[in-house]
Amino acid sequence: YRNWLCAASTVYPKGTLLKVTRLKTGSEVIVRVNDYGPEKTTGRIIDLDKTSFKKIGSLGAGIIYVRVEPYTKL
């Protein structure tokens, strides 16, 4: 999955397309869930891979606030 727009989620099943919007800027990326994570103890519902994260924020930011919603092509 190198250079794909992927994410890990504990809420959404593998294969689900998600629209992830950065709350601070409104930047969006469409990702496909391809893994299970992050650990429930973190309180997060999604982990973006490096390629996806770079589309909406700087890698140095570490953790950013986003809105996650299922994406359906119209």
Side-chain angles (χ1 to χ4, degrees):
Y1 296 104
R2 179 171 258 164
N3 297 320
W4 286 38
L5 299 175
C6 295
S9 177
T10 57
V11 176
Y12 299 99
K14 288 181 182 179
T16 303
L17 289 176
L18 300 173
K19 180 168 82 168
V20 180
T21 306
R22 185 173 184 182
L23 298 180
K24 183 176 181 179
T25 63
S27 301
E28 300 176 344
V29 63
I30 306 300
V31 299
R32 182 176 302 275
V33 176
N34 73 328
D35 201 1
Y36 185 82
E39 295 295 325
K40 290 185 186 258
T41 58
T42 66
R44 300 189 318 261
I45 63 166
I46 194 167
D47 270 344
L48 298 176
D49 74 338
K50 187 182 211 181
T51 304
S52 301
F53 195 98
K54 286 184 352 183
K55 296 279 186 184
I56 60 173
S58 166
L59 290 178
I63 296 175
I64 58 176
Y65 293 96
V66 297
R67 177 177 52 248
V68 179
E69 54 195 321
Y71 176 76
T72 54
K73 299 175 189 174
L74 298 176

Short mmCIF file of all heavy atoms in Angstrom, two decimals:
data_model
loop_
_atom_site.label_atom_id
_atom_site.label_comp_id
_atom_site.label_asym_id
_atom_site.label_seq_id
_atom_site.Cartn_x
_atom_site.Cartn_y
_atom_site.Cartn_z
N TYR A 1 0.81 -1.20 0.00
CA TYR A 1 0.00 0.00 0.00
C TYR A 1 0.85 1.26 0.00
O TYR A 1 0.39 2.31 0.40
CB TYR A 1 -0.94 -0.01 1.21
CG TYR A 1 -1.93 -1.14 1.17
CD1 TYR A 1 -1.76 -2.26 1.97
CD2 TYR A 1 -3.01 -1.08 0.33
CE1 TYR A 1 -2.67 -3.29 1.94
CE2 TYR A 1 -3.93 -2.11 0.28
CZ TYR A 1 -3.75 -3.21 1.09
OH TYR A 1 -4.66 -4.24 1.04
N ARG A 2 2.06 1.16 -0.43
CA ARG A 2 2.92 2.34 -0.45
C ARG A 2 2.39 3.37 -1.44
O ARG A 2 2.01 3.05 -2.55
CB ARG A 2 4.33 1.92 -0.84
CG ARG A 2 5.28 3.09 -0.92
CD ARG A 2 6.69 2.65 -1.08
NE ARG A 2 7.28 2.78 0.24
CZ ARG A 2 8.39 2.24 0.62
NH1 ARG A 2 9.06 1.49 -0.20
NH2 ARG A 2 8.84 2.41 1.84
N ASN A 3 2.33 4.63 -0.98
CA ASN A 3 1.86 5.78 -1.76
C ASN A 3 0.38 5.71 -2.12
O ASN A 3 -0.05 6.34 -3.06
CB ASN A 3 2.72 5.98 -3.01
CG ASN A 3 4.15 6.30 -2.67
OD1 ASN A 3 4.43 7.04 -1.73
ND2 ASN A 3 5.08 5.71 -3.40
N TRP A 4 -0.39 4.92 -1.39
CA TRP A 4 -1.83 4.90 -1.55
C TRP A 4 -2.43 5.82 -0.50
O TRP A 4 -1.78 6.16 0.48
CB TRP A 4 -2.37 3.50 -1.34
CG TRP A 4 -2.10 2.55 -2.46
CD1 TRP A 4 -0.97 2.46 -3.23
CD2 TRP A 4 -2.97 1.53 -2.93
NE1 TRP A 4 -1.09 1.45 -4.13
CE2 TRP A 4 -2.31 0.87 -3.97
CE3 TRP A 4 -4.23 1.11 -2.57
CZ2 TRP A 4 -2.88 -0.20 -4.66
CZ3 TRP A 4 -4.80 0.06 -3.25
CH2 TRP A 4 -4.13 -0.58 -4.29
N LEU A 5 -3.68 6.19 -0.67
CA LEU A 5 -4.38 7.01 0.32
C LEU A 5 -5.17 6.06 1.21
O LEU A 5 -6.30 5.69 0.92
CB LEU A 5 -5.29 8.02 -0.38
CG LEU A 5 -4.57 9.01 -1.30
CD1 LEU A 5 -5.56 9.89 -2.03
CD2 LEU A 5 -3.58 9.85 -0.50
N CYS A 6 -4.53 5.64 2.31
CA CYS A 6 -5.10 4.62 3.19
C CYS A 6 -5.17 5.11 4.63
O CYS A 6 -4.56 6.10 5.00
CB CYS A 6 -4.24 3.36 3.15
SG CYS A 6 -4.21 2.56 1.54
N ALA A 7 -5.93 4.34 5.41
CA ALA A 7 -6.07 4.64 6.83
C ALA A 7 -6.38 3.38 7.60
O ALA A 7 -6.79 2.37 7.03
CB ALA A 7 -7.19 5.65 7.04
N ALA A 8 -6.19 3.46 8.91
CA ALA A 8 -6.58 2.39 9.82
C ALA A 8 -7.71 2.93 10.69
O ALA A 8 -7.68 4.10 11.09
CB ALA A 8 -5.40 1.97 10.69
N SER A 9 -8.70 2.09 10.97
CA SER A 9 -9.82 2.52 11.79
C SER A 9 -10.35 1.36 12.62
O SER A 9 -10.32 0.21 12.19
CB SER A 9 -10.95 3.07 10.91
OG SER A 9 -12.08 3.41 11.69
N THR A 10 -10.85 1.69 13.81
CA THR A 10 -11.51 0.69 14.65
C THR A 10 -13.02 0.80 14.50
O THR A 10 -13.75 -0.07 14.94
CB THR A 10 -11.16 0.89 16.13
OG1 THR A 10 -11.51 2.22 16.52
CG2 THR A 10 -9.68 0.66 16.38
N VAL A 11 -13.49 1.86 13.87
CA VAL A 11 -14.92 2.13 13.72
C VAL A 11 -15.45 1.66 12.37
O VAL A 11 -16.54 1.11 12.28
CB VAL A 11 -15.21 3.64 13.91
CG1 VAL A 11 -16.67 3.95 13.67
CG2 VAL A 11 -14.77 4.09 15.30
N TYR A 12 -14.68 1.86 11.32
CA TYR A 12 -15.11 1.53 9.96
C TYR A 12 -14.41 0.27 9.47
O TYR A 12 -13.21 0.09 9.68
CB TYR A 12 -14.80 2.70 9.02
CG TYR A 12 -15.52 3.95 9.41
CD1 TYR A 12 -14.88 4.95 10.13
CD2 TYR A 12 -16.84 4.16 9.05
CE1 TYR A 12 -15.54 6.12 10.49
CE2 TYR A 12 -17.52 5.32 9.41
CZ TYR A 12 -16.86 6.29 10.13
OH TYR A 12 -17.53 7.44 10.49
N PRO A 13 -15.13 -0.62 8.79
CA PRO A 13 -14.52 -1.87 8.31
C PRO A 13 -13.56 -1.65 7.14
O PRO A 13 -13.65 -0.65 6.42
CB PRO A 13 -15.72 -2.71 7.88
CG PRO A 13 -16.83 -1.75 7.64
CD PRO A 13 -16.57 -0.55 8.50
N LYS A 14 -12.66 -2.61 6.97
CA LYS A 14 -11.72 -2.56 5.85
C LYS A 14 -12.49 -2.44 4.54
O LYS A 14 -13.53 -3.05 4.35
CB LYS A 14 -10.85 -3.81 5.81
CG LYS A 14 -9.83 -3.87 6.91
CD LYS A 14 -8.98 -5.12 6.81
CE LYS A 14 -7.98 -5.19 7.94
NZ LYS A 14 -7.17 -6.40 7.86
N GLY A 15 -11.94 -1.62 3.64
CA GLY A 15 -12.56 -1.40 2.34
C GLY A 15 -13.45 -0.17 2.28
O GLY A 15 -13.80 0.29 1.20
N THR A 16 -13.82 0.38 3.44
CA THR A 16 -14.68 1.56 3.47
C THR A 16 -13.95 2.79 2.96
O THR A 16 -12.80 3.03 3.33
CB THR A 16 -15.17 1.83 4.91
OG1 THR A 16 -15.83 0.68 5.40
CG2 THR A 16 -16.10 3.02 4.97
N LEU A 17 -14.60 3.57 2.10
CA LEU A 17 -14.06 4.86 1.68
C LEU A 17 -14.53 5.92 2.67
O LEU A 17 -15.71 5.97 3.03
CB LEU A 17 -14.55 5.22 0.28
CG LEU A 17 -13.98 4.41 -0.87
CD1 LEU A 17 -14.63 4.83 -2.19
CD2 LEU A 17 -12.47 4.57 -0.97
N LEU A 18 -13.58 6.77 3.10
CA LEU A 18 -13.89 7.82 4.06
C LEU A 18 -13.41 9.17 3.54
O LEU A 18 -12.36 9.26 2.90
CB LEU A 18 -13.18 7.56 5.39
CG LEU A 18 -13.50 6.26 6.11
CD1 LEU A 18 -12.58 6.08 7.31
CD2 LEU A 18 -14.96 6.24 6.54
N LYS A 19 -14.19 10.20 3.83
CA LYS A 19 -13.74 11.56 3.57
C LYS A 19 -13.26 12.11 4.90
O LYS A 19 -14.00 12.15 5.88
CB LYS A 19 -14.86 12.43 3.01
CG LYS A 19 -14.41 13.87 2.75
CD LYS A 19 -15.41 14.65 1.95
CE LYS A 19 -16.49 15.18 2.82
NZ LYS A 19 -17.34 16.19 2.15
N VAL A 20 -12.00 12.51 4.95
CA VAL A 20 -11.38 13.05 6.15
C VAL A 20 -11.11 14.53 5.91
O VAL A 20 -10.42 14.90 4.96
CB VAL A 20 -10.07 12.30 6.48
CG1 VAL A 20 -9.44 12.86 7.74
CG2 VAL A 20 -10.31 10.81 6.61
N THR A 21 -11.70 15.37 6.75
CA THR A 21 -11.58 16.82 6.60
C THR A 21 -10.85 17.39 7.80
O THR A 21 -11.25 17.16 8.95
CB THR A 21 -12.98 17.47 6.51
OG1 THR A 21 -13.72 16.84 5.47
CG2 THR A 21 -12.88 18.95 6.25
N ARG A 22 -9.79 18.14 7.55
CA ARG A 22 -9.09 18.82 8.64
C ARG A 22 -9.93 20.00 9.08
O ARG A 22 -10.28 20.87 8.29
CB ARG A 22 -7.71 19.28 8.18
CG ARG A 22 -6.92 19.88 9.32
CD ARG A 22 -5.51 20.19 8.96
NE ARG A 22 -4.81 20.66 10.15
CZ ARG A 22 -3.56 21.04 10.15
NH1 ARG A 22 -2.85 21.01 9.03
NH2 ARG A 22 -2.99 21.46 11.26
N LEU A 23 -10.26 20.06 10.35
CA LEU A 23 -11.15 21.09 10.87
C LEU A 23 -10.54 22.48 10.79
O LEU A 23 -11.23 23.46 10.52
CB LEU A 23 -11.55 20.76 12.31
CG LEU A 23 -12.33 19.46 12.50
CD1 LEU A 23 -12.67 19.26 13.97
CD2 LEU A 23 -13.59 19.45 11.65
N LYS A 24 -9.24 22.59 10.99
CA LYS A 24 -8.57 23.89 11.01
C LYS A 24 -8.56 24.57 9.64
O LYS A 24 -8.69 25.79 9.54
CB LYS A 24 -7.14 23.72 11.51
CG LYS A 24 -6.36 24.99 11.66
CD LYS A 24 -4.99 24.70 12.25
CE LYS A 24 -4.18 25.96 12.43
NZ LYS A 24 -2.86 25.68 13.02
N THR A 25 -8.45 23.78 8.56
CA THR A 25 -8.27 24.37 7.23
C THR A 25 -9.36 24.01 6.23
O THR A 25 -9.45 24.63 5.18
CB THR A 25 -6.92 23.93 6.63
OG1 THR A 25 -6.95 22.51 6.46
CG2 THR A 25 -5.75 24.34 7.51
N GLY A 26 -10.11 22.97 6.51
CA GLY A 26 -11.11 22.49 5.55
C GLY A 26 -10.52 21.60 4.47
O GLY A 26 -11.24 21.13 3.58
N SER A 27 -9.22 21.31 4.53
CA SER A 27 -8.58 20.42 3.56
C SER A 27 -9.18 19.03 3.69
O SER A 27 -9.46 18.57 4.79
CB SER A 27 -7.07 20.33 3.81
OG SER A 27 -6.48 21.59 3.72
N GLU A 28 -9.37 18.36 2.54
CA GLU A 28 -9.99 17.04 2.53
C GLU A 28 -9.13 16.03 1.80
O GLU A 28 -8.39 16.37 0.89
CB GLU A 28 -11.34 17.10 1.81
CG GLU A 28 -12.34 18.02 2.42
CD GLU A 28 -13.62 18.11 1.59
OE1 GLU A 28 -13.62 17.69 0.42
OE2 GLU A 28 -14.62 18.61 2.13
N VAL A 29 -9.31 14.77 2.19
CA VAL A 29 -8.68 13.66 1.49
C VAL A 29 -9.65 12.47 1.57
O VAL A 29 -10.32 12.28 2.58
CB VAL A 29 -7.29 13.30 2.08
CG1 VAL A 29 -7.39 12.83 3.51
CG2 VAL A 29 -6.58 12.27 1.21
N ILE A 30 -9.73 11.73 0.49
CA ILE A 30 -10.53 10.50 0.46
C ILE A 30 -9.58 9.34 0.65
O ILE A 30 -8.59 9.21 -0.08
CB ILE A 30 -11.29 10.34 -0.89
CG1 ILE A 30 -12.12 11.59 -1.21
CG2 ILE A 30 -12.14 9.07 -0.87
CD1 ILE A 30 -13.18 11.94 -0.20
N VAL A 31 -9.86 8.49 1.65
CA VAL A 31 -8.99 7.36 1.96
C VAL A 31 -9.80 6.07 1.98
O VAL A 31 -11.01 6.08 2.12
CB VAL A 31 -8.28 7.55 3.33
CG1 VAL A 31 -7.42 8.79 3.32
CG2 VAL A 31 -9.28 7.60 4.47
N ARG A 32 -9.08 4.96 1.85
CA ARG A 32 -9.69 3.64 1.97
C ARG A 32 -9.13 2.99 3.23
O ARG A 32 -7.91 2.96 3.43
CB ARG A 32 -9.37 2.77 0.76
CG ARG A 32 -10.03 1.38 0.84
CD ARG A 32 -9.79 0.55 -0.40
NE ARG A 32 -10.25 1.19 -1.61
CZ ARG A 32 -11.50 1.14 -2.08
NH1 ARG A 32 -12.43 0.51 -1.41
NH2 ARG A 32 -11.81 1.74 -3.21
N VAL A 33 -10.01 2.47 4.07
CA VAL A 33 -9.57 1.75 5.26
C VAL A 33 -8.96 0.43 4.83
O VAL A 33 -9.60 -0.36 4.13
CB VAL A 33 -10.76 1.51 6.24
CG1 VAL A 33 -10.30 0.69 7.43
CG2 VAL A 33 -11.38 2.82 6.68
N ASN A 34 -7.71 0.20 5.24
CA ASN A 34 -7.03 -1.03 4.87
C ASN A 34 -6.41 -1.74 6.07
O ASN A 34 -5.72 -2.74 5.91
CB ASN A 34 -5.95 -0.77 3.81
CG ASN A 34 -4.74 -0.07 4.38
OD1 ASN A 34 -4.85 0.71 5.32
ND2 ASN A 34 -3.57 -0.34 3.82
N ASP A 35 -6.67 -1.22 7.27
CA ASP A 35 -6.07 -1.81 8.45
C ASP A 35 -6.94 -1.50 9.67
O ASP A 35 -7.81 -0.63 9.61
CB ASP A 35 -4.67 -1.26 8.66
CG ASP A 35 -3.78 -2.15 9.53
OD1 ASP A 35 -4.25 -3.22 9.98
OD2 ASP A 35 -2.63 -1.76 9.77
N TYR A 36 -6.69 -2.22 10.76
CA TYR A 36 -7.42 -2.02 12.00
C TYR A 36 -6.52 -1.25 12.97
O TYR A 36 -5.36 -1.60 13.16
CB TYR A 36 -7.81 -3.37 12.60
CG TYR A 36 -8.66 -3.24 13.83
CD1 TYR A 36 -10.03 -3.03 13.72
CD2 TYR A 36 -8.11 -3.31 15.10
CE1 TYR A 36 -10.83 -2.90 14.84
CE2 TYR A 36 -8.90 -3.19 16.23
CZ TYR A 36 -10.26 -2.99 16.10
OH TYR A 36 -11.03 -2.85 17.21
N GLY A 37 -7.04 -0.21 13.57
CA GLY A 37 -6.28 0.59 14.52
C GLY A 37 -6.91 1.95 14.61
O GLY A 37 -7.89 2.21 13.91
N PRO A 38 -6.48 2.84 15.36
CA PRO A 38 -5.45 2.76 16.40
C PRO A 38 -5.98 2.08 17.66
O PRO A 38 -7.18 1.79 17.75
CB PRO A 38 -5.12 4.22 16.68
CG PRO A 38 -6.39 4.94 16.38
CD PRO A 38 -7.04 4.17 15.25
N GLU A 39 -5.12 1.86 18.62
CA GLU A 39 -5.54 1.24 19.87
C GLU A 39 -6.65 2.07 20.50
O GLU A 39 -6.61 3.29 20.50
CB GLU A 39 -4.36 1.15 20.85
CG GLU A 39 -3.25 0.25 20.38
CD GLU A 39 -3.67 -1.20 20.29
OE1 GLU A 39 -4.48 -1.65 21.12
OE2 GLU A 39 -3.21 -1.89 19.36
N LYS A 40 -7.67 1.41 21.04
CA LYS A 40 -8.82 2.10 21.64
C LYS A 40 -8.41 3.04 22.76
O LYS A 40 -9.05 4.06 22.99
CB LYS A 40 -9.84 1.09 22.11
CG LYS A 40 -10.54 0.39 20.96
CD LYS A 40 -11.64 -0.51 21.44
CE LYS A 40 -12.21 -1.28 20.28
NZ LYS A 40 -13.46 -0.79 19.80
N THR A 41 -7.34 2.74 23.46
CA THR A 41 -6.91 3.58 24.58
C THR A 41 -6.45 4.96 24.15
O THR A 41 -6.36 5.86 24.98
CB THR A 41 -5.78 2.89 25.37
OG1 THR A 41 -4.69 2.63 24.48
CG2 THR A 41 -6.25 1.60 26.00
N THR A 42 -6.18 5.15 22.85
CA THR A 42 -5.73 6.47 22.38
C THR A 42 -6.88 7.46 22.26
O THR A 42 -6.66 8.66 22.22
CB THR A 42 -5.06 6.36 20.99
OG1 THR A 42 -6.05 5.97 20.03
CG2 THR A 42 -3.90 5.39 20.99
N GLY A 43 -8.12 6.95 22.14
CA GLY A 43 -9.28 7.83 21.97
C GLY A 43 -9.47 8.28 20.53
O GLY A 43 -10.39 9.03 20.23
N ARG A 44 -8.60 7.84 19.62
CA ARG A 44 -8.72 8.22 18.21
C ARG A 44 -9.50 7.16 17.45
O ARG A 44 -9.49 6.00 17.82
CB ARG A 44 -7.33 8.39 17.60
CG ARG A 44 -6.51 9.46 18.29
CD ARG A 44 -5.20 9.79 17.57
NE ARG A 44 -4.47 8.65 17.07
CZ ARG A 44 -3.43 8.09 17.68
NH1 ARG A 44 -3.02 8.53 18.84
NH2 ARG A 44 -2.80 7.10 17.12
N ILE A 45 -10.17 7.57 16.37
CA ILE A 45 -10.91 6.59 15.57
C ILE A 45 -10.26 6.30 14.24
O ILE A 45 -10.70 5.43 13.51
CB ILE A 45 -12.37 7.03 15.34
CG1 ILE A 45 -12.43 8.31 14.53
CG2 ILE A 45 -13.12 7.15 16.65
CD1 ILE A 45 -13.80 8.61 13.98
N ILE A 46 -9.19 7.04 13.91
CA ILE A 46 -8.55 6.84 12.61
C ILE A 46 -7.06 7.18 12.70
O ILE A 46 -6.65 8.06 13.47
CB ILE A 46 -9.23 7.70 11.52
CG1 ILE A 46 -8.81 7.26 10.12
CG2 ILE A 46 -8.99 9.17 11.74
CD1 ILE A 46 -9.66 7.84 9.02
N ASP A 47 -6.27 6.45 11.95
CA ASP A 47 -4.85 6.76 11.74
C ASP A 47 -4.66 6.84 10.23
O ASP A 47 -4.97 5.88 9.51
CB ASP A 47 -3.95 5.65 12.28
CG ASP A 47 -3.53 5.86 13.71
OD1 ASP A 47 -3.68 6.99 14.22
OD2 ASP A 47 -3.04 4.89 14.32
N LEU A 48 -4.16 7.96 9.76
CA LEU A 48 -3.89 8.12 8.33
C LEU A 48 -2.47 7.66 8.03
O LEU A 48 -1.56 7.87 8.84
CB LEU A 48 -4.03 9.58 7.92
CG LEU A 48 -5.41 10.20 8.09
CD1 LEU A 48 -5.35 11.69 7.73
CD2 LEU A 48 -6.43 9.49 7.24
N ASP A 49 -2.28 7.06 6.86
CA ASP A 49 -0.91 6.74 6.46
C ASP A 49 -0.23 8.05 6.05
O ASP A 49 -0.84 9.11 5.95
CB ASP A 49 -0.89 5.69 5.34
CG ASP A 49 -1.29 6.24 3.99
OD1 ASP A 49 -1.98 7.27 3.95
OD2 ASP A 49 -0.94 5.63 2.98
N LYS A 50 1.07 7.98 5.86
CA LYS A 50 1.88 9.16 5.60
C LYS A 50 1.40 9.93 4.36
O LYS A 50 1.28 11.15 4.37
CB LYS A 50 3.33 8.73 5.42
CG LYS A 50 4.30 9.86 5.29
CD LYS A 50 5.63 9.32 5.09
CE LYS A 50 6.86 9.36 5.20
NZ LYS A 50 8.06 8.96 5.05
N THR A 51 1.11 9.22 3.29
CA THR A 51 0.68 9.85 2.04
C THR A 51 -0.63 10.61 2.24
O THR A 51 -0.78 11.75 1.79
CB THR A 51 0.53 8.81 0.92
OG1 THR A 51 1.76 8.10 0.78
CG2 THR A 51 0.17 9.46 -0.40
N SER A 52 -1.57 10.01 2.94
CA SER A 52 -2.87 10.65 3.20
C SER A 52 -2.71 11.87 4.11
O SER A 52 -3.30 12.92 3.87
CB SER A 52 -3.83 9.66 3.86
OG SER A 52 -4.02 8.54 3.06
N PHE A 53 -1.91 11.71 5.16
CA PHE A 53 -1.73 12.80 6.12
C PHE A 53 -1.14 14.03 5.44
O PHE A 53 -1.56 15.16 5.70
CB PHE A 53 -0.83 12.33 7.26
CG PHE A 53 -0.85 13.23 8.46
CD1 PHE A 53 -1.65 12.92 9.55
CD2 PHE A 53 -0.07 14.37 8.52
CE1 PHE A 53 -1.68 13.74 10.67
CE2 PHE A 53 -0.08 15.19 9.63
CZ PHE A 53 -0.89 14.88 10.71
N LYS A 54 -0.16 13.81 4.56
CA LYS A 54 0.50 14.93 3.89
C LYS A 54 -0.46 15.73 3.01
O LYS A 54 -0.20 16.88 2.72
CB LYS A 54 1.68 14.44 3.05
CG LYS A 54 2.85 14.05 3.92
CD LYS A 54 4.13 13.61 3.24
CE LYS A 54 4.17 13.40 1.80
NZ LYS A 54 5.46 12.91 1.30
N LYS A 55 -1.58 15.14 2.59
CA LYS A 55 -2.56 15.85 1.77
C LYS A 55 -3.30 16.92 2.56
O LYS A 55 -3.80 17.89 1.99
CB LYS A 55 -3.59 14.87 1.18
CG LYS A 55 -3.02 13.87 0.23
CD LYS A 55 -2.85 14.49 -1.12
CE LYS A 55 -2.41 13.43 -2.13
NZ LYS A 55 -2.15 14.00 -3.44
N ILE A 56 -3.40 16.74 3.89
CA ILE A 56 -4.18 17.70 4.68
C ILE A 56 -3.38 18.38 5.79
O ILE A 56 -3.88 19.28 6.45
CB ILE A 56 -5.43 17.03 5.29
CG1 ILE A 56 -5.09 15.87 6.20
CG2 ILE A 56 -6.39 16.60 4.19
CD1 ILE A 56 -6.28 15.29 6.95
N GLY A 57 -2.14 17.97 6.01
CA GLY A 57 -1.34 18.60 7.05
C GLY A 57 0.13 18.26 6.95
O GLY A 57 0.52 17.37 6.21
N SER A 58 0.90 18.97 7.72
CA SER A 58 2.34 18.73 7.79
C SER A 58 2.61 17.51 8.66
O SER A 58 2.00 17.36 9.72
CB SER A 58 3.03 19.96 8.39
OG SER A 58 4.34 19.65 8.76
N LEU A 59 3.53 16.66 8.23
CA LEU A 59 3.86 15.48 9.02
C LEU A 59 4.34 15.85 10.41
O LEU A 59 4.14 15.11 11.36
CB LEU A 59 4.91 14.63 8.31
CG LEU A 59 4.47 13.91 7.04
CD1 LEU A 59 5.63 13.16 6.43
CD2 LEU A 59 3.31 12.98 7.33
N GLY A 60 4.94 17.02 10.55
CA GLY A 60 5.43 17.47 11.85
C GLY A 60 4.32 17.78 12.83
O GLY A 60 4.56 17.87 14.03
N ALA A 61 3.09 17.93 12.34
CA ALA A 61 1.96 18.25 13.22
C ALA A 61 1.63 17.08 14.15
O ALA A 61 1.13 17.29 15.25
CB ALA A 61 0.74 18.63 12.40
N GLY A 62 1.89 15.87 13.70
CA GLY A 62 1.63 14.70 14.53
C GLY A 62 0.18 14.32 14.61
O GLY A 62 -0.28 13.45 13.91
N ILE A 63 -0.57 15.01 15.45
CA ILE A 63 -2.01 14.74 15.60
C ILE A 63 -2.76 16.01 15.22
O ILE A 63 -2.43 17.10 15.66
CB ILE A 63 -2.35 14.35 17.05
CG1 ILE A 63 -1.67 13.02 17.41
CG2 ILE A 63 -3.86 14.25 17.25
CD1 ILE A 63 -1.85 12.61 18.85
N ILE A 64 -3.78 15.83 14.36
CA ILE A 64 -4.62 16.96 13.95
C ILE A 64 -6.08 16.59 14.17
O ILE A 64 -6.43 15.41 14.24
CB ILE A 64 -4.37 17.37 12.48
CG1 ILE A 64 -4.65 16.19 11.54
CG2 ILE A 64 -2.96 17.90 12.30
CD1 ILE A 64 -4.52 16.53 10.07
N TYR A 65 -6.92 17.60 14.28
CA TYR A 65 -8.35 17.37 14.48
C TYR A 65 -9.04 17.29 13.12
O TYR A 65 -8.87 18.17 12.28
CB TYR A 65 -8.95 18.48 15.33
CG TYR A 65 -8.43 18.44 16.74
CD1 TYR A 65 -7.38 19.25 17.13
CD2 TYR A 65 -8.98 17.57 17.67
CE1 TYR A 65 -6.88 19.20 18.42
CE2 TYR A 65 -8.49 17.51 18.96
CZ TYR A 65 -7.45 18.33 19.33
OH TYR A 65 -6.96 18.28 20.61
N VAL A 66 -9.80 16.22 12.94
CA VAL A 66 -10.46 15.97 11.67
C VAL A 66 -11.91 15.53 11.88
O VAL A 66 -12.28 15.07 12.96
CB VAL A 66 -9.73 14.89 10.84
CG1 VAL A 66 -8.31 15.31 10.48
CG2 VAL A 66 -9.71 13.55 11.56
N ARG A 67 -12.69 15.68 10.82
CA ARG A 67 -14.03 15.09 10.76
C ARG A 67 -13.92 13.91 9.82
O ARG A 67 -13.33 14.01 8.75
CB ARG A 67 -15.04 16.11 10.24
CG ARG A 67 -16.45 15.54 10.08
CD ARG A 67 -17.47 16.56 9.63
NE ARG A 67 -17.08 17.29 8.44
CZ ARG A 67 -16.78 18.60 8.41
NH1 ARG A 67 -16.81 19.32 9.50
NH2 ARG A 67 -16.43 19.17 7.27
N VAL A 68 -14.49 12.78 10.22
CA VAL A 68 -14.45 11.56 9.41
C VAL A 68 -15.87 11.18 9.08
O VAL A 68 -16.73 11.09 9.95
CB VAL A 68 -13.76 10.41 10.19
CG1 VAL A 68 -13.74 9.15 9.36
CG2 VAL A 68 -12.36 10.81 10.61
N GLU A 69 -16.11 10.98 7.78
CA GLU A 69 -17.46 10.55 7.35
C GLU A 69 -17.34 9.60 6.17
O GLU A 69 -16.40 9.69 5.38
CB GLU A 69 -18.31 11.76 6.99
CG GLU A 69 -17.70 12.69 5.97
CD GLU A 69 -18.39 14.04 5.90
OE1 GLU A 69 -19.62 14.09 6.00
OE2 GLU A 69 -17.67 15.04 5.73
N PRO A 70 -18.27 8.65 6.10
CA PRO A 70 -18.26 7.74 4.95
C PRO A 70 -18.37 8.54 3.65
O PRO A 70 -19.07 9.55 3.59
CB PRO A 70 -19.50 6.88 5.16
CG PRO A 70 -19.78 6.97 6.62
CD PRO A 70 -19.34 8.34 7.03
N TYR A 71 -17.67 8.07 2.62
CA TYR A 71 -17.67 8.74 1.32
C TYR A 71 -18.38 7.83 0.32
O TYR A 71 -18.05 6.66 0.19
CB TYR A 71 -16.25 9.00 0.86
CG TYR A 71 -16.15 9.61 -0.51
CD1 TYR A 71 -16.45 10.94 -0.73
CD2 TYR A 71 -15.79 8.83 -1.61
CE1 TYR A 71 -16.37 11.49 -1.99
CE2 TYR A 71 -15.70 9.37 -2.88
CZ TYR A 71 -16.00 10.71 -3.06
OH TYR A 71 -15.93 11.25 -4.31
N THR A 72 -19.36 8.39 -0.33
CA THR A 72 -20.05 7.66 -1.39
C THR A 72 -19.99 8.48 -2.65
O THR A 72 -20.28 9.69 -2.64
CB THR A 72 -21.52 7.37 -1.03
OG1 THR A 72 -22.15 8.60 -0.69
CG2 THR A 72 -21.61 6.44 0.14
N LYS A 73 -19.59 7.85 -3.72
CA LYS A 73 -19.53 8.54 -5.00
C LYS A 73 -20.95 8.76 -5.49
O LYS A 73 -21.78 7.86 -5.43
CB LYS A 73 -18.77 7.71 -6.02
CG LYS A 73 -17.34 7.45 -5.62
CD LYS A 73 -16.68 6.53 -6.62
CE LYS A 73 -15.33 6.08 -6.11
NZ LYS A 73 -14.72 5.08 -6.95
N LEU A 74 -21.24 9.95 -5.95
CA LEU A 74 -22.59 10.24 -6.45
C LEU A 74 -22.72 9.95 -7.91
O LEU A 74 -21.87 9.95 -8.67
CB LEU A 74 -22.95 11.69 -6.16
CG LEU A 74 -23.00 12.05 -4.69
CD1 LEU A 74 -23.28 13.54 -4.53
CD2 LEU A 74 -24.08 11.27 -3.98
#
